[in-house]
């Protein structure tokens, strides 16, 4: 029941969520409520597949994914910072736009409907000691301590957290609040691009309509569970990855697929309850 | 009238952006937009538009009810399918005369949707899980449950598809010219919402909470109680839409049939466009339903994928959010 391959499939499930959740944590720390992670991930998936298909190189695909998702996150940045729009409305609308836009593009660019895959589409392939994992998986782990150091051991991180906690104070000390907020949203977009690339070119190589299937939302929950701390976020994402992998395993012993599909969402919700009961404070961020 | 002005600019901007996209794919934008309009309102299309507008307007109203107080219900899909399978269960298994069955099935749909949405409200009130998250996370298991039910215990034995058997002749909502009589129920719900919103203390409390949550709290409005009531009303309406969908053609539940057409999300965008005002939401829902059904006609006429209309709808809301932000900022300075 519990063996190496369980952890391997948990890692595969975890990586895109971890990238998106780190993006969310970074935004949260700077006082930006970012729920458009789902859309950025999906745009990243599409960019990765398009880039890989047209250049024949999966790594150029990764670069295209990062550029596409970063550009896409400008919607939230411009809309909420420059125009003062409601970040929740912008987030929901940009997630829906991503679904519509990628479905539109899959038909105009690839001429197929629903999903695009081809035997000659280059994937990221295997890297390092763990079977079935790409270089991006290791990169996502490295991103956790890197972000933790940036946030808690570097002047940038100090200013960034200042912008999140006391924007007026930070502003009066000469910190450009707008610039920092733009910065975290765009950096978050880049991280989502990496997550999307892993999802579309990692263990499978394809693009399918709405293939992120709520992972960006799970990342939003992971940010809450992990209190927007990189290590906490890693643990929260790991919980979800394990739930998903365990679900697949249970399918093997005869549980219906629908039960195992629902498992990760239920596990996440229960984890949120428990963490709130433990804290006994009714107001999560 | 300021809302109308506020909407006009984003609509124009979205149409311009759509035109640019169309030009990029080498299509004449005027021809494509013309095909959408004639497809949506022409003699062949008007029936499709109406049939599509019923669930979209129903879901838009369902999501507008809490949105009026600034609460976002992202779990409409779960409440919708739960209402659908509950109505289906009553229609299939409860004995009795046809009309009684139909009424009981509709009630079952309302109760199931309301209870499930209320559960999400309890998650926020008692367990501190934000509504946005609790509604959405609960949506997935509900959809999975419905998928399980029509694959195993409630499956149509004579079919290979994941669908339920058809309801018997007596236990159906009749159709008039291809449009379900459920349209009257949806109109009735919108009428009730309009009256409550405009003429009752409950409606006023909801609007005040939406305008100024902190003022509402100081004025003694009990937010948890309001959340619970609004979510129950919201989920109940979504459940009713699900019940109507099953009791009308094709008189059965097919897995994914209520999810694939995106009723819930188009409804949410319509509610956002109208600022959740009752009649505005109805107008916005009909507008978006016409756009969507016109999109199919456009696809047939010009080879442009119908997803263009989904892009236009979302872009419109993004522009609107930006315009509202600027509008609020100006109001603060004035």
């Amino acid at each position: 029941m519990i063996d190496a391959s369980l952890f391997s499939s948990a890692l595969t499930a975890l990586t895109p969520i971890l990238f998106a959740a780190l993006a969310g944590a970074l935004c949260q720390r700077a006082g930006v409520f970012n729920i458009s992670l789902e859309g950025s991930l999906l745009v990243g998936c599409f960019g990765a597949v398009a880039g890989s298909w047209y250049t024949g190189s999966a790594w150029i695909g990764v670069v295209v994914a990062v550029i596409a998702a970063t550009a896409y996150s400008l919607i939230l940045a411009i809309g909420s910072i420059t125009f003062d729009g409601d970040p929740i409305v912008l987030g929901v609308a940009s997630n829906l736009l991503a679904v519509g836009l990628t479905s539109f593009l899959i038909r105009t660019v690839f001429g197929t409907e629903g999903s695009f895959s081809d035997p000659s589409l280059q994937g990221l392939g295997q890297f390092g000691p763990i079977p079935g994992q790409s270089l991006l998986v290791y990169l996502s782990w490295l991103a956790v301590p890197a972000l933790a150091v940036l946030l808690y051991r570097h002047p940038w991180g100090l200013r960034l957290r200042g912008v999140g906690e006391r924007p007026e104070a930070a502003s009066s000390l000469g910190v450009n609040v707008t610039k920092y907020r733009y910065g975290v949203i765009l950096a978050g977009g880049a991280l989502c691009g990496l997550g999307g690339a892993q999802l579309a070119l990692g263990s499978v190589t394809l693009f399918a309509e709405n293939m992120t299937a709520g992972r960006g939302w799970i990342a939003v929950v992971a940010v809450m569970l992990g209190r927007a701390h990189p290590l906490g976020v890693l643990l929260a994402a790991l919980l979800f990855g394990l739930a998903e992998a365990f679900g697949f395993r249970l399918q093997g012993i005869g549980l219906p697929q629908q039960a195992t599909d629902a498992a990760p969402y239920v596990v996440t919700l229960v984890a949120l309850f428990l963490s709130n009961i433990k804290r006994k404070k009714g107001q999560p961020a | 009238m300021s809302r109308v002005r506020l909407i006009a600019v984003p609509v124009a901007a979205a149409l311009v952006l759509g035109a640019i996209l169309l030009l990029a794919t080498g299509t004449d934008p005027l021809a494509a937009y013309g095909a959408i309009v004639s497809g949506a309102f022409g003699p062949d299309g008007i029936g499709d538009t109406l049939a599509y507008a019923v669930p979209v307007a129903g879901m838009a109203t369902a999501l507008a009810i809490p949105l009026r107080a600034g609460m976002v219900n992202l779990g409409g899909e779960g409440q919708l399918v739960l209402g659908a399978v509950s109505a289906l269960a009553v229609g299939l298994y409860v004995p009795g005369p046809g009309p009684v069955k139909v009424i009981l099935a509709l009630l079952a749909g309302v109760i199931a949707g309301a209870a499930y949405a209320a559960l999400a409200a309890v998650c926020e009130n008692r367990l501190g899980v934000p509504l946005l998250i609790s509604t959405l996370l609960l949506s997935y298991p509900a959809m999975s449950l419905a998928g399980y039910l029509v694959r195993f215990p409630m499956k149509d034995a004579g079919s290979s598809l994941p669908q339920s058997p058809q309801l018997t002749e007596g236990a159906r909502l009749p159709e008039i010219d291809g449009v379900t009589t459920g349209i009257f129920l949806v109109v009735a719900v919108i009428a009730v919402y309009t009256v409550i919103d405009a003429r009752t203390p409950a409606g006023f409390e909801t609007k005040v909470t939406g305008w100024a949550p902190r003022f509402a709290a100081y004025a003694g409005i009990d937010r948890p109680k309001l959340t619970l009531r609004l979510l129950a009303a919201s989920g109940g309406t979504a459940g009713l839409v699900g019940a109507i969908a099953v009791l009308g053609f094709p008189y059965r539940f097919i897995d994914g049939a209520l999810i694939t057409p995106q009723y819930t999300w188009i409804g949410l965008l319509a509610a956002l466009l109208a600022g959740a005002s009752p009649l505005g939401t109805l107008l916005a829902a009909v507008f978006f339903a016409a756009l969507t059904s016109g999109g199919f006609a456009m696809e047939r006429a010009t080879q442009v994928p119908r997803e263009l209309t989904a892009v236009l709808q979302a872009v419109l809301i993004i522009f609107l959010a930006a315009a509202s932000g600027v509008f609020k900022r100006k109001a603060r300075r004035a």
Side-chain angles (χ1 to χ4, degrees):
Chain A
M1 212 45 218
I2 295 175
D3 54 19
S5 80
L6 176 81
F7 280 98
S8 178
S9 71
L11 282 183
T12 308
L14 150 94
T15 308
I17 296 165
L18 179 57
F19 274 123
L22 289 172
L26 194 62
C27 289
Q28 187 82 357
R29 285 284 165 206
V32 173
F33 187 50
N34 186 347
I35 54 168
S36 62
L37 303 169
E38 174 89 0
S40 298
L41 266 184
L42 189 59
V43 169
C45 291
F46 187 87
V49 168
S52 170
W53 175 247
Y54 282 104
T55 63
S57 151
W59 293 104
I60 297 180
V62 173
V63 173
V64 174
V66 168
I67 294 170
T70 307
Y72 195 75
S73 66
L74 275 171
I75 293 175
L76 177 71
I78 297 172
S80 69
I81 300 168
T82 305
F83 285 95
D84 238 353
D86 182 344
I88 292 180
V89 175
L90 284 163
V92 169
S94 70
N95 289 340
L96 291 173
L97 175 63
V99 176
L101 192 63
T102 51
S103 304
F104 178 80
L105 288 173
I106 203 176
R107 295 181 61 188
T108 46
V109 174
F110 297 122
T112 63
E113 206 168 338
S115 69
F116 172 77
S117 180
D118 192 277
S120 65
L121 179 65
Q122 290 296 314
L124 295 170
Q126 153 107 11
F127 181 86
I130 309 170
Q133 308 299 339
S134 77
L135 178 60
L136 286 184
V137 174
Y138 301 93
L139 195 66
S140 72
W141 299 347
L142 285 177
V144 175
L147 271 181
V149 167
L150 175 81
L151 279 172
Y152 297 97
R153 291 279 177 274
H154 194 284
W156 281 353
L158 180 68
R159 287 183 210 129
L160 194 146
R161 285 181 295 130
V163 165
E165 283 162 31
R166 292 277 182 279
E168 298 84 0
S171 182
S172 68
L173 291 170
V175 177
N176 186 335
V177 173
T178 303
K179 205 184 275 183
Y180 268 84
R181 290 196 168 157
Y182 259 88
V184 290
I185 294 178
L186 293 180
L191 286 165
C192 286
L194 292 172
Q198 166 65 25
L199 190 59
L201 301 175
S203 51
V204 291
T205 47
L206 65 94
F207 180 83
E209 256 175 45
N210 206 6
M211 71 188 291
T212 43
R215 284 178 179 81
W217 288 102
I218 293 289
V220 172
V221 180
V223 175
M224 287 179 194
L225 261 178
R227 310 266 168 257
H229 189 291
L231 283 173
V233 162
L234 170 66
L235 289 174
L238 189 63
L239 175 78
F240 185 86
L242 277 172
E244 193 163 300
F246 215 75
F248 280 132
R249 194 51 64 91
L250 288 173
Q251 252 180 65
I253 60 162
L255 232 69
Q257 187 201 332
Q258 288 72 30
T260 58
D261 279 349
Y265 303 102
V266 178
V267 167
T268 312
L269 197 60
V270 171
L272 260 183
F273 294 164
L274 294 177
S275 81
N276 282 338
I277 289 168
K278 222 175 68 181
R279 280 199 319 157
K280 271 291 170 211
K281 273 199 292 195
Q283 288 302 319
Chain B
M1 284 322 273
S2 69
R3 179 109 203 146
V4 175
R5 240 201 359 243
L6 184 67
I7 289 173
V9 176
V11 169
L15 288 175
V16 170
L17 197 88
I20 294 170
L21 254 181
L22 284 164
L23 286 171
T25 59
T27 318
D28 173 12
L30 287 178
Y33 286 158
I36 291 179
V37 174
S38 66
F41 298 111
D44 299 338
I46 189 86
D48 285 350
T49 300
L50 256 183
Y52 194 78
V54 174
V56 170
M59 287 313 289
T61 308
L63 302 171
I65 291 167
L67 198 63
R68 199 66 162 153
M71 299 168 189
V72 183
N73 173 6
L74 288 180
E77 286 188 323
Q79 295 144 21
L80 174 76
V81 295
L82 223 52
V85 290
S86 306
L88 176 79
V90 170
L92 285 178
Y93 306 126
V94 171
V100 175
K101 251 200 250 199
V102 170
I103 290 167
L104 282 179
L106 288 167
L107 276 176
V110 171
I111 291 166
Y116 205 61
L119 181 64
V122 170
C123 289
E124 165 159 296
N125 293 342
R126 293 292 161 95
L127 302 162
V129 180
L131 200 61
L132 197 74
I133 301 296
S134 65
T135 49
L136 185 81
L137 284 182
L138 283 170
S139 199
Y140 292 98
M143 288 190 276
S144 298
L145 174 70
Y148 169 77
L149 288 176
V150 293
R151 273 183 181 79
F152 302 101
M154 294 165 87
K155 187 174 183 315
D156 181 5
S159 143
S160 60
L161 298 168
Q163 60 182 28
S164 74
Q166 277 201 317
L167 296 168
T168 49
E169 291 275 347
R172 296 176 180 180
L173 275 175
E175 281 192 346
I176 304 168
D177 292 339
V179 177
T180 170
T181 40
I183 192 170
F184 299 113
L185 291 166
V186 171
V187 169
V189 169
I190 294 170
V192 170
Y193 175 39
T194 309
V195 172
I196 290 177
D197 183 73
R199 305 233 167 251
T200 66
F204 182 68
E205 283 187 5
T206 304
K207 281 185 288 195
V208 170
T209 306
W211 292 325
R214 281 160 74 190
F215 172 78
Y218 281 123
I221 293 172
D222 183 351
R223 189 181 172 94
K225 201 163 149 189
L226 187 70
T227 307
L228 188 68
R229 283 182 183 173
L230 289 174
L231 262 284
S234 174
T237 307
L240 175 70
V241 175
I244 289 169
V246 169
L247 295 168
F249 183 80
Y251 314 112
R252 57 166 49 141
F253 183 86
I254 305 167
D255 191 35
L258 299 180
I259 304 301
T260 311
Q262 300 265 325
Y263 299 135
T264 309
W265 300 111
I266 294 174
L268 178 64
L269 291 178
L272 286 169
L273 176 63
S277 86
L279 292 176
T281 300
L282 174 63
L283 279 176
V286 172
F287 170 51
F288 277 179
L291 251 182
T292 308
S293 76
F296 284 89
M298 176 194 70
E299 189 175 77
R300 285 192 298 270
T302 63
Q303 313 303 314
V304 176
R306 61 179 181 276
E307 282 85 5
L308 178 79
T309 56
V311 170
L312 286 181
Q313 287 161 356
V315 164
L316 172 54
I317 301 300
I318 288 167
F319 286 153
L320 179 75
S324 311
V326 172
F327 188 75
K328 276 202 197 89
R329 195 187 297 169
K330 275 188 186 151
R332 273 202 302 271
R333 284 193 191 141

